[in-house]
Amino acid sequence: MKDILEGLNPNQKEAVTYVGSPLLLLAGAGSGKTRVLTHRVAYFIQKKIAKPSEVLLLTFTNKAAEEMRQRTNKLLPTVRANHDSPLQKQNIFAGTFHSFCCRVLRADGHNIGIPPSFVIYDSGDQENLIKNILHELGLTTKEFKPSSVLYYIEAAKNSLQTPKDMEAQGHGFWQENANKIYSIYQKKLFDFHALDFNDLLFKTVELFLEHPDVLNKYQDIYRFIMVDEYQDTNQIQYILTKLLAQKYKQITVVGDASQAIYGWRGADYRNLVSFTTDFKNTKVINLEENYRSTQIILNAANAVISKNNSHPILKLFTKKESTDKIKIFEAESEVIEADFIAAKVKFINDNLKIPLRNMAVLYRMNAQSRVLEEAFLRLSVPYVLLGGIRFYERAEIKDILSMLRFTSNPSDHISEERIEKALGKRKKAILLEHISNMELEKLSSLQILESLVVNSGYLDKFDPKDEEDQKRIENIKELKSVATAHPNLGAFLENITLVQQEYSLQEKNKKKENRDGVKLMTFHSAKGLEFEVVFLVGFEEGILPHSRCLIDDSQVEEERRLCYVGITRAKDYLYISYATRRLFFGKSSLNEPSRFLSDIPGELVELEESMEITRDYRNKKSRDNDDFIYDPEIY
């Protein structure tokens, strides 16, 4: 039998072996929280404090749950159900909140009218149902965009609000009708023996509240509850864990308020504070020793996050020493910034022999990937876009490009078909009439683009208050930057076609390269990951922190936590860059460096000089590859 405590530091050992009252583990970035949680489960089973079947291990993704299950099983011996049966792994439930609730409702949902054979509606099913309801009520999808209505319903369910609860607080035309839709939506789901994703949690809590005997059954089955990433729980997840643990109070939660970056999704880091109030005699253990980053990187992260005052702050430390300071690069433009990053990645790969897959470039908004992608394509540096779609392959960009291509060439029937699919026949006819009256020879690419977007009514599809729609609107605005750089419509479309061709070549080579490229992703997508080299780009006021967050102190704090998450992804080398002038969303602006940059003490950083990428080298690469037109004068 393995020594489960071997290799743990004193605080980790205390966290693994603590028995008695509820336990709150405040675990900083890179402090080994997954290790502690899995070792704690294994320790409880090894010491016969808990049976494997009594442990409920909850997390947020199936990938994380599977990793915890495998790591726990490696620490424990295999067992036999009886003398003649083969060896098998321990019967530990490790899963997401939703998978656990699905299991409960399949077994006991009949108590509240849910049959065991219920189906789970995905987002497409939900939108189709909402459209049918809108049609029945004589309402239009323009007034009530299905995704916006679903977002409203999701927020209500996450706050444990029934249709009747929402009706009591409805104000105004939109909200009153949204509440009516919510009520009909739930009735139809019930009639169809269906649940949506949020119902899995909502209905489980409803079941437990209305049938204490069922709750008691699950409290007796799962006496030991372990919850990961507790700062990311929303209200209904908090209520669920509170109900399950209230009988035996054998609950362990792990979290770090400094990594709470999903407030826009309903997550509430204050649940960490509420936990110590709702569970008296809670033991709190801080895990602050970091096993990932150098002390210089951690000092920078500590300096940034310490300015927040609404949540507990951990002070990370490490035994991993290094003299490599954080490199700061000031660029004259976003193109020079992107070129510097691409060249530096190539230099590090060639000279330090750090694999591309161990490097990452992080940005605040998906729209920022466009100029970075083009820089990597120019220098033939393989890259992998994580958590998103390549800029010119995003649906909204392809829709707008189809309008531009048809405008340039009315014989392009493929683009015409896409326009009809994107707009519908009526709006398409209006747009084609508008195009026929445009004097193209007198207009720049940007003027044509703006005219098409406005007169097509394309933006009516999006709700600016919806997070995903906001990203799509930002992508369309970023296309204006390309149009500004290429005033001639033909050159504009040719440039994009050549970039798309390079996309295709990379896709063909993807298997051969085994996706061994530098990772490009948003700060949000990087949570939970780590890389030897990290580049944080666009470190400017209005980008990080985002302009939408500047008037709300709580949102600025979340932006600061997002910055903290970005910094703590780096293991050995960290680069931070910003542009003094940025062409963004089609407009050129002078930008101040992010306030977060001034939080980092001067002794931790040093200025980085520009990489020498000569014009001849760039143009030579273009000629050699025959794949990309690069004209420095455009910029």
Side-chain angles (χ1 to χ4, degrees):
M1 188 173 292
K2 294 182 180 179
D3 181 0
I4 289 171
L5 303 182
E6 185 180 351
L8 300 178
N9 67 43
N11 282 32
Q12 289 176 330
K13 284 181 182 177
E14 184 183 11
V16 167
T17 60
Y18 180 78
V19 179
S21 59
L23 177 62
L24 170 60
L25 298 177
L26 296 179
S31 63
K33 67 177 179 60
T34 303
R35 188 182 190 203
V36 169
L37 208 53
T38 53
H39 280 243
R40 182 167 170 80
V41 172
Y43 179 84
F44 272 43
I45 293 170
Q46 186 189 80
K47 296 296 182 183
K48 296 186 166 45
I49 299 168
K51 298 175 183 175
S53 59
E54 291 178 324
V55 176
L56 176 62
L57 186 52
L58 294 173
T59 187
F60 282 85
T61 66
N62 289 314
K63 181 181 177 182
E66 181 58 29
E67 181 187 355
M68 287 189 177
R69 187 184 299 111
Q70 290 181 2
R71 287 171 70 165
T72 303
N73 279 326
K74 281 182 180 178
L75 293 167
L76 294 167
T78 49
V79 296
R80 297 182 190 274
N82 54 60
H83 181 71
D84 297 321
S85 65
L87 290 170
Q88 58 187 22
K89 294 296 183 182
Q90 303 281 359
N91 181 29
I92 299 165
F93 182 90
T96 64
F97 282 91
H98 293 91
S99 63
F100 167 72
C101 290
C102 189
R103 174 183 285 201
V104 170
L105 293 174
R106 295 279 186 210
D108 294 285
H110 60 86
N111 288 283
I112 54 173
I114 299 173
S117 59
F118 68 83
V119 296
I120 301 172
Y121 274 16
D122 62 21
S123 57
D125 300 322
Q126 291 175 269
E127 287 208 14
N128 288 333
L129 180 53
I130 292 293
K131 287 176 184 176
N132 292 340
I133 295 170
L134 290 172
H135 182 72
E136 290 175 15
L137 295 175
L139 301 170
T140 68
T141 54
K142 185 175 181 179
E143 291 175 302
F144 295 89
K145 191 181 173 197
S147 62
S148 297
V149 176
L150 286 170
Y151 183 82
Y152 180 79
I153 293 172
E154 178 182 347
K157 290 181 179 181
N158 286 341
S159 300
L160 208 61
Q161 300 285 302
T162 65
K164 190 172 287 187
D165 295 329
M166 297 303 290
E167 285 171 15
Q169 52 186 285
H171 301 289
F173 174 76
W174 195 92
Q175 196 170 0
E176 287 175 3
N177 279 285
N179 291 337
K180 192 181 295 184
I181 296 166
Y182 180 19
S183 181
I184 297 171
Y185 174 80
Q186 285 306 113
K187 185 179 184 305
K188 287 185 179 290
L189 285 178
F190 184 82
D191 292 342
F192 300 161
H193 296 166
L195 300 177
D196 65 24
F197 206 52
N198 298 100
D199 272 333
L200 295 174
L201 277 72
F202 187 94
K203 292 297 180 182
T204 301
V205 170
E206 181 183 307
L207 171 65
F208 287 166
L209 291 174
E210 292 183 7
H211 295 271
D213 56 320
V214 177
L215 173 60
N216 186 65
K217 167 187 168 181
Y218 285 95
Q219 287 172 334
D220 286 341
I221 294 174
Y222 299 110
R223 298 185 180 216
F224 298 88
I225 300 164
M226 315 273 181
V227 188
D228 191 23
E229 303 284 12
Y230 208 63
Q231 78 279 351
D232 293 337
T233 54
N234 57 30
Q235 186 176 348
I236 200 164
Q237 288 162 336
Y238 182 79
I239 293 170
L240 178 66
T241 53
K242 184 179 172 183
L243 287 170
L244 286 167
Q246 68 184 186
K247 184 173 182 180
Y248 295 105
K249 297 182 172 52
Q250 294 298 307
I251 180 170
T252 300
V253 301
V254 183
D256 179 13
S258 296
Q259 296 186 75
I261 59 174
Y262 298 119
W264 48 275
R265 228 161 50 183
D268 191 348
Y269 66 87
R270 291 171 298 186
N271 289 342
L272 285 169
V273 178
S274 300
F275 183 84
T276 58
T277 302
D278 290 335
F279 291 97
K280 304 298 181 186
N281 303 316
T282 293
K283 172 74 171 178
V284 180
I285 299 175
N286 291 352
L287 301 179
E288 296 176 302
E289 183 171 355
N290 177 283
Y291 292 91
R292 175 188 302 157
S293 308
T294 67
Q295 191 62 55
I296 287 175
I297 291 171
L298 295 182
N299 287 346
N302 289 336
V304 169
I305 199 62
S306 64
K307 295 295 178 70
N308 276 9
N309 53 32
S310 64
H311 55 81
I313 304 293
L314 299 172
K315 190 166 184 180
L316 302 180
F317 69 93
T318 183
K319 294 174 182 174
K320 180 179 177 179
E321 293 298 335
S322 172
T323 58
D324 288 300
K325 293 187 177 183
I326 297 165
K327 307 298 193 298
I328 308 296
F329 179 67
E330 179 185 280
E332 295 174 16
S333 72
E334 78 287 352
V335 175
I336 291 174
E337 178 188 45
D339 279 345
F340 163 77
I341 291 166
K344 182 59 74 171
V345 165
K346 190 175 181 64
F347 176 85
I348 292 171
N349 180 237
D350 290 343
N351 293 275
L352 300 185
K353 304 304 179 186
I354 296 177
L356 292 174
R357 63 179 175 273
N358 292 343
M359 292 186 256
V361 182
L362 310 186
Y363 38 83
R364 175 62 179 86
M365 296 174 282
N366 273 304
Q368 290 174 260
S369 78
R370 194 269 307 172
V371 68
L372 291 163
E373 290 182 65
E374 293 185 6
F376 282 115
L377 291 172
R378 276 199 293 275
L379 290 187
S380 301
V381 177
Y383 72 90
V384 178
L385 199 67
L386 296 184
I389 301 169
R390 294 180 190 238
F391 184 80
Y392 292 115
E393 292 175 352
R394 294 166 191 169
E396 62 276 10
I397 297 300
K398 295 180 89 167
D399 288 343
I400 300 299
L401 288 177
S402 69
M403 298 179 200
L404 288 162
R405 284 176 174 139
F406 182 81
T407 301
S408 176
N409 175 20
S411 299
D412 184 354
H413 295 299
I414 298 298
S415 291
E416 185 178 1
E417 287 176 4
R418 186 169 187 109
I419 292 171
E420 184 168 317
K421 186 177 179 182
L423 300 178
K425 288 185 178 180
R426 187 180 64 82
K427 282 190 174 182
K428 172 197 163 188
I430 295 171
L431 178 64
L432 297 193
E433 176 69 21
H434 173 71
I435 291 172
S436 67
N437 292 324
M438 292 176 72
E439 297 183 70
L440 298 178
E441 64 280 358
K442 296 181 180 180
L443 300 174
S444 68
S445 299
L446 180 60
Q447 290 171 321
I448 295 169
L449 171 60
E450 289 179 332
S451 180
L452 294 176
V453 170
V454 170
N455 288 282
S456 65
Y458 185 77
L459 293 182
D460 294 344
K461 297 173 64 168
F462 307 121
D463 178 2
K465 296 177 183 177
D466 181 276
E467 185 74 22
E468 291 304 313
D469 280 0
Q470 181 64 41
K471 292 176 184 176
R472 295 183 182 102
I473 293 169
E474 288 174 348
N475 287 333
I476 294 170
K477 287 181 178 179
E478 178 57 16
L479 192 59
K480 292 182 181 180
S481 297
V482 189
T484 303
H486 300 274
N488 177 272
L489 181 59
F492 169 62
L493 292 173
E494 181 181 345
N495 184 76
I496 291 171
T497 301
L498 291 169
V499 174
Q500 289 173 313
Q501 172 66 16
E502 184 65 21
Y503 282 176
S504 299
L505 291 172
Q506 279 213 4
E507 287 300 310
K508 288 177 183 177
N509 292 331
K510 190 177 285 183
K511 287 184 180 178
K512 184 172 69 177
E513 294 168 358
N514 197 25
R515 294 178 68 84
D516 183 19
V518 59
K519 305 299 188 295
L520 271 62
M521 71 191 88
T522 63
F523 281 76
H524 284 100
S525 298
K527 187 168 180 288
L529 303 177
E530 61 182 33
F531 303 91
E532 286 184 58
V533 185
V534 170
F535 295 84
L536 307 180
V537 305
F539 229 68
E540 299 149 35
E541 287 291 302
I543 296 181
L544 184 72
H546 195 287
S547 56
R548 295 199 308 268
C549 305
L550 296 179
I551 59 174
D552 186 329
D553 288 344
S554 66
Q555 290 189 7
V556 171
E557 285 213 350
E558 179 148 329
E559 292 290 293
R560 190 179 292 280
R561 292 193 291 270
L562 194 58
C563 178
Y564 172 84
V565 166
I567 292 172
T568 54
R569 299 312 93 196
K571 296 169 68 175
D572 300 298
Y573 304 100
L574 177 63
Y575 292 81
I576 296 175
S577 63
Y578 62 91
T580 55
R581 181 183 294 275
R582 182 174 296 272
L583 181 63
F584 203 46
F585 298 162
K587 296 180 180 178
S588 183
S589 59
L590 297 172
N591 301 322
E592 293 183 8
S594 169
R595 67 189 69 184
F596 304 146
L597 186 57
S598 62
D599 293 337
I600 302 174
E603 65 269 17
L604 302 179
V605 304
E606 60 185 18
L607 294 178
E608 181 79 357
E609 294 184 4
S610 176
M611 296 292 293
E612 284 299 323
I613 314 172
T614 66
R615 185 178 305 178
D616 288 343
Y617 174 74
R618 284 170 171 158
N619 290 335
K620 180 179 184 300
K621 293 299 292 183
S622 299
R623 290 192 299 272
D624 289 347
N625 294 327
D626 194 27
D627 57 7
F628 191 88
I629 294 174
Y630 180 84
D631 182 0
E633 299 303 322
I634 287 174
Y635 302 102

